[in-house]
CSV table of all heavy atoms in Angstrom, one decimal:
chain,number,residue,atom,x,y,z
A,1314,THR,N,113.7,160.2,1.4
A,1314,THR,CA,113.9,160.5,2.8
A,1314,THR,C,114.5,159.2,3.6
A,1314,THR,O,115.4,159.3,4.3
A,1314,THR,CB,112.7,160.9,3.5
A,1314,THR,OG1,112.2,162.2,3.0
A,1314,THR,CG2,112.9,161.2,5.1
A,1315,ILE,N,113.9,158.1,3.3
A,1315,ILE,CA,114.4,156.8,3.8
A,1315,ILE,C,115.8,156.7,3.5
A,1315,ILE,O,116.7,156.4,4.3
A,1315,ILE,CB,113.5,155.6,3.4
A,1315,ILE,CG1,112.2,155.8,4.1
A,1315,ILE,CG2,114.2,154.3,3.7
A,1315,ILE,CD1,111.2,154.6,3.6
A,1316,GLN,N,116.1,156.9,2.2
A,1316,GLN,CA,117.4,156.6,1.7
A,1316,GLN,C,118.5,157.5,2.3
A,1316,GLN,O,119.5,157.2,2.7
A,1316,GLN,CB,117.5,156.7,0.1
A,1316,GLN,CG,118.8,156.3,-0.5
A,1316,GLN,CD,119.7,157.6,-0.6
A,1316,GLN,OE1,119.3,158.7,-0.6
A,1316,GLN,NE2,121.0,157.3,-0.8
A,1317,ARG,N,118.2,158.8,2.4
A,1317,ARG,CA,119.1,159.7,2.9
A,1317,ARG,C,119.2,159.6,4.4
A,1317,ARG,O,120.2,159.8,5.0
A,1317,ARG,CB,118.7,161.2,2.5
A,1317,ARG,CG,118.9,161.5,1.1
A,1317,ARG,CD,118.5,162.9,0.8
A,1317,ARG,NE,118.8,163.2,-0.6
A,1317,ARG,CZ,120.0,163.6,-1.1
A,1317,ARG,NH1,121.0,163.7,-0.3
A,1317,ARG,NH2,120.1,163.8,-2.4
A,1318,THR,N,118.1,159.3,5.0
A,1318,THR,CA,118.1,159.2,6.5
A,1318,THR,C,118.9,158.0,7.1
A,1318,THR,O,119.7,158.2,7.9
A,1318,THR,CB,116.6,159.1,7.0
A,1318,THR,OG1,115.9,160.3,6.6
A,1318,THR,CG2,116.6,159.1,8.6
A,1319,TRP,N,118.8,156.9,6.5
A,1319,TRP,CA,119.4,155.7,7.0
A,1319,TRP,C,120.6,155.2,6.1
A,1319,TRP,O,121.1,154.2,6.5
A,1319,TRP,CB,118.4,154.6,7.3
A,1319,TRP,CG,117.5,155.0,8.3
A,1319,TRP,CD1,117.8,154.9,9.8
A,1319,TRP,CD2,116.2,155.6,8.3
A,1319,TRP,NE1,116.7,155.4,10.4
A,1319,TRP,CE2,115.8,155.9,9.7
A,1319,TRP,CE3,115.5,156.0,7.3
A,1319,TRP,CZ2,114.6,156.5,10.0
A,1319,TRP,CZ3,114.2,156.7,7.4
A,1319,TRP,CH2,113.8,156.9,8.8
A,1320,SER,N,120.8,155.8,5.0
A,1320,SER,CA,121.9,155.4,4.0
A,1320,SER,C,121.9,153.9,3.8
A,1320,SER,O,122.9,153.3,4.0
A,1320,SER,CB,123.3,155.9,4.7
A,1320,SER,OG,123.2,157.2,4.8
A,1321,VAL,N,120.7,153.4,3.4
A,1321,VAL,CA,120.6,152.0,3.2
A,1321,VAL,C,120.6,151.5,1.8
A,1321,VAL,O,120.7,150.4,1.6
A,1321,VAL,CB,119.4,151.5,3.9
A,1321,VAL,CG1,119.4,151.6,5.4
A,1321,VAL,CG2,118.1,152.2,3.4
A,1322,VAL,N,120.4,152.4,0.8
A,1322,VAL,CA,120.5,152.0,-0.5
A,1322,VAL,C,120.8,153.2,-1.4
A,1322,VAL,O,120.6,154.2,-1.1
A,1322,VAL,CB,119.0,151.5,-0.9
A,1322,VAL,CG1,118.0,152.6,-0.8
A,1322,VAL,CG2,119.0,150.9,-2.3
A,1323,LYS,N,121.5,152.7,-2.5
A,1323,LYS,CA,121.9,153.8,-3.5
A,1323,LYS,C,120.9,153.8,-4.6
A,1323,LYS,O,120.7,152.8,-5.2
A,1323,LYS,CB,123.3,153.6,-4.0
A,1323,LYS,CG,124.4,153.7,-3.0
A,1323,LYS,CD,125.8,153.4,-3.5
A,1323,LYS,CE,126.9,153.5,-2.4
A,1323,LYS,NZ,128.2,153.3,-2.9
A,1324,LEU,N,120.4,155.0,-4.9
A,1324,LEU,CA,119.4,155.1,-6.0
A,1324,LEU,C,119.9,155.9,-7.1
A,1324,LEU,O,120.5,157.0,-6.9
A,1324,LEU,CB,118.1,155.8,-5.4
A,1324,LEU,CG,117.5,155.1,-4.1
A,1324,LEU,CD1,116.4,156.0,-3.6
A,1324,LEU,CD2,117.1,153.7,-4.3
A,1325,SER,N,119.5,155.4,-8.4
A,1325,SER,CA,119.8,156.2,-9.5
A,1325,SER,C,118.4,156.4,-10.1
A,1325,SER,O,117.7,155.6,-10.5
A,1325,SER,CB,120.6,155.3,-10.5
A,1325,SER,OG,120.8,156.0,-11.7
A,1326,ILE,N,118.1,157.8,-10.1
A,1326,ILE,CA,116.7,158.1,-10.3
A,1326,ILE,C,116.6,158.7,-11.8
A,1326,ILE,O,117.3,159.6,-12.3
A,1326,ILE,CB,116.3,159.3,-9.4
A,1326,ILE,CG1,116.5,158.8,-8.0
A,1326,ILE,CG2,114.9,159.7,-9.7
A,1326,ILE,CD1,116.3,159.8,-7.0
A,1327,ILE,N,115.7,158.1,-12.6
A,1327,ILE,CA,115.3,158.6,-13.9
A,1327,ILE,C,113.8,158.6,-13.9
A,1327,ILE,O,113.1,157.6,-13.9
A,1327,ILE,CB,115.8,157.6,-15.0
A,1327,ILE,CG1,117.3,157.4,-14.9
A,1327,ILE,CG2,115.4,158.2,-16.4
A,1327,ILE,CD1,117.9,156.4,-15.9
A,1328,ALA,N,113.2,159.9,-14.0
A,1328,ALA,CA,111.8,160.1,-13.8
A,1328,ALA,C,111.4,159.4,-12.6
A,1328,ALA,O,111.7,159.7,-11.5
A,1328,ALA,CB,111.1,159.5,-15.1
A,1329,ILE,N,110.4,158.4,-12.7
A,1329,ILE,CA,110.0,157.7,-11.5
A,1329,ILE,C,110.6,156.3,-11.5
A,1329,ILE,O,110.0,155.4,-10.9
A,1329,ILE,CB,108.4,157.7,-11.4
A,1329,ILE,CG1,107.8,157.0,-12.5
A,1329,ILE,CG2,107.9,159.1,-11.1
A,1329,ILE,CD1,106.2,156.8,-12.3
A,1330,SER,N,111.5,156.0,-12.3
A,1330,SER,CA,112.1,154.8,-12.4
A,1330,SER,C,113.5,154.7,-11.6
A,1330,SER,O,114.2,155.7,-11.6
A,1330,SER,CB,112.5,154.4,-13.8
A,1330,SER,OG,113.2,153.2,-13.9
A,1331,PHE,N,113.6,153.7,-10.8
A,1331,PHE,CA,114.8,153.5,-9.9
A,1331,PHE,C,115.7,152.3,-10.4
A,1331,PHE,O,115.1,151.3,-10.6
A,1331,PHE,CB,114.4,153.3,-8.5
A,1331,PHE,CG,113.9,154.4,-7.7
A,1331,PHE,CD1,113.2,154.3,-6.5
A,1331,PHE,CD2,114.0,155.8,-8.3
A,1331,PHE,CE1,112.9,155.5,-5.7
A,1331,PHE,CE2,113.6,156.9,-7.5
A,1331,PHE,CZ,112.9,156.7,-6.3
A,1332,SER,N,117.0,152.5,-10.4
A,1332,SER,CA,117.9,151.4,-10.5
A,1332,SER,C,118.5,151.2,-9.1
A,1332,SER,O,119.2,152.1,-8.7
A,1332,SER,CB,118.9,151.7,-11.5
A,1332,SER,OG,119.9,150.6,-11.6
A,1333,ILE,N,118.1,150.1,-8.5
A,1333,ILE,CA,118.6,149.9,-7.0
A,1333,ILE,C,119.7,148.9,-7.0
A,1333,ILE,O,119.9,148.0,-7.8
A,1333,ILE,CB,117.4,149.2,-6.3
A,1333,ILE,CG1,116.1,150.2,-6.3
A,1333,ILE,CG2,117.7,149.0,-4.9
A,1333,ILE,CD1,114.9,149.7,-5.7
A,1334,THR,N,120.7,149.2,-6.1
A,1334,THR,CA,121.8,148.3,-5.9
A,1334,THR,C,121.4,146.9,-5.8
A,1334,THR,O,120.5,146.5,-5.1
A,1334,THR,CB,122.5,148.8,-4.6
A,1334,THR,OG1,123.0,150.1,-4.7
A,1334,THR,CG2,123.8,147.9,-4.4
A,1335,GLY,N,122.1,146.1,-6.6
A,1335,GLY,CA,121.7,144.6,-6.7
A,1335,GLY,C,121.1,144.3,-7.9
A,1335,GLY,O,120.7,143.2,-8.1
A,1336,GLY,N,121.0,145.3,-8.9
A,1336,GLY,CA,120.5,145.0,-10.2
A,1336,GLY,C,119.0,145.0,-10.4
A,1336,GLY,O,118.4,144.5,-11.4
A,1337,VAL,N,118.2,145.6,-9.5
A,1337,VAL,CA,116.8,145.6,-9.4
A,1337,VAL,C,116.4,146.9,-10.1
A,1337,VAL,O,116.7,147.9,-9.6
A,1337,VAL,CB,116.2,145.4,-8.0
A,1337,VAL,CG1,114.7,145.6,-8.1
A,1337,VAL,CG2,116.6,144.2,-7.4
A,1338,ASN,N,115.6,146.8,-11.1
A,1338,ASN,CA,115.2,148.0,-11.8
A,1338,ASN,C,113.6,148.1,-11.7
A,1338,ASN,O,113.0,147.0,-12.0
A,1338,ASN,CB,115.5,147.9,-13.4
A,1338,ASN,CG,117.0,148.1,-13.6
A,1338,ASN,OD1,117.6,149.0,-13.2
A,1338,ASN,ND2,117.5,147.0,-14.1
A,1339,MET,N,113.1,149.2,-11.3
A,1339,MET,CA,111.7,149.2,-11.0
A,1339,MET,C,111.1,150.5,-11.5
A,1339,MET,O,111.8,151.6,-11.5
A,1339,MET,CB,111.4,149.1,-9.5
A,1339,MET,CG,111.9,148.0,-8.8
A,1339,MET,SD,111.5,147.9,-7.0
A,1339,MET,CE,109.7,147.7,-7.1
């Protein structure tokens, strides 16, 4: 919801793992 609402980060979703713009994997 935060991502879609404010368009602040691009998320690539695999299960509960995110690859966040800037090379951060969590």
Side-chain angles (χ1 to χ4, degrees):
T1314 300
I1315 291 174
Q1316 187 268 341
R1317 290 184 176 275
T1318 302
W1319 292 276
S1320 300
V1321 293
V1322 64
K1323 295 180 180 179
L1324 304 177
S1325 175
I1326 304 169
I1327 304 175
I1329 61 170
S1330 176
F1331 286 167
S1332 176
I1333 301 175
T1334 299
V1337 178
N1338 296 298
M1339 300 184 70

